[in-house]
Amino acid sequence: MKKILIAGLVVVLSSFTFLSNKPVPEKAEAKAAFELINAMRHNPRAFSKALGVSLNNVKAMPALVWNDTLAKVAEAKAIDMCSRNYFGHVNPEGFGMNYYINKAGYKLNAYWLKQKSANYFESIQAGASNGEDAVGYLVVDENIPSLGHRKHLLGIGDWNASLTDIGIGFVKNPNPNSMYKSFMCVLIARHE
């Protein structure tokens, strides 16, 4: 009887190990996502068939430059969403990414900081098996009529074309019972 109780306790405790496991940024996935975004920006048309959407009218854009500050902020956001089990551009305290980007030392225009919930620079995705798949989901932007993530990542429109720096955070969820198995945050911004 004692052995059965101990074995049962081990099984129960092992099912809760995710509670002590903190999500860790997967830098290789972030790097793969970064490289894919720049490849798509270089030749969008080449990805139309693989993604199942037409990118034939999307013009090529310059490569984005990796920025360590943006990457740290993006990693922190992905970890926060995973740890606190939410998915949104604004955190539970009501702060958007403009606040956190500026706070980290990537200085933004004061106008962009007037609303604490402002987000001019973030695309997020949850549930992909890896960073490249997450980029694909963002570019397809299924059920997003504005195609805002596609425009952000590929530099479509004057505002998005003006953004030059990028940082990405990708984490896998250590909680096997979560709705999302991963979280990715892509920050594409510029100083002002």
Side-chain angles (χ1 to χ4, degrees):
M1 176 73 168
K2 192 174 184 180
K3 287 183 181 180
I4 293 172
L5 285 175
I6 291 172
L9 183 60
V10 168
V11 169
V12 170
L13 289 176
S14 67
S15 68
F16 289 105
T17 56
F18 69 87
L19 294 174
S20 63
N21 291 340
K22 292 188 176 187
V24 176
E26 297 200 8
K27 295 186 186 296
E29 294 298 340
K31 182 180 179 187
F34 166 64
E35 290 171 357
L36 179 58
I37 290 168
N38 273 338
M40 287 180 170
R41 289 171 66 95
H42 176 71
N43 186 3
R45 175 179 282 192
F47 293 89
S48 292
K49 185 175 181 180
L51 294 174
V53 296
S54 176
L55 300 176
N56 293 337
N57 294 326
V58 177
K59 71 178 189 173
M61 294 299 294
L64 295 165
V65 177
W66 186 263
N67 181 281
D68 288 335
T69 301
L70 292 178
K72 288 176 186 171
V73 175
E75 288 174 355
K77 175 66 181 279
I79 289 169
D80 188 52
M81 288 189 296
C82 186
S83 299
R84 299 202 292 165
N85 196 31
Y86 75 94
F87 179 67
H89 290 292
V90 178
N91 73 9
E93 292 75 36
F95 288 96
M97 287 313 297
N98 291 15
Y99 170 81
Y100 289 105
I101 290 169
N102 193 70
K103 184 178 176 186
Y106 188 99
K107 295 301 175 196
L108 299 178
N109 181 309
Y111 178 78
W112 300 342
L113 301 169
K114 286 191 175 203
Q115 292 183 344
K116 78 176 194 174
S117 63
N119 165 38
Y120 299 168
F121 307 108
E122 178 188 50
S123 288
I124 54 175
Q125 198 283 329
S129 55
N130 59 55
E132 290 178 331
D133 286 350
V135 168
Y137 293 132
L138 288 168
V139 171
V140 169
D141 237 0
E142 187 173 344
N143 299 319
I144 308 292
S146 69
L147 300 177
H149 301 111
R150 180 185 302 177
K151 292 174 182 177
H152 183 228
L153 270 60
L154 300 183
I156 301 170
D158 291 342
W159 170 257
N160 291 310
S162 75
L163 307 178
T164 57
D165 299 329
I166 186 171
I168 300 174
F170 183 92
V171 299
K172 288 197 176 164
N173 196 335
N175 179 351
N177 301 317
S178 176
M179 179 178 3
Y180 301 114
K181 61 184 170 184
S182 70
F183 291 86
M184 186 167 83
C185 175
V186 179
L187 297 177
I188 303 175
R190 67 178 167 92
H191 290 287
E192 183 68 19

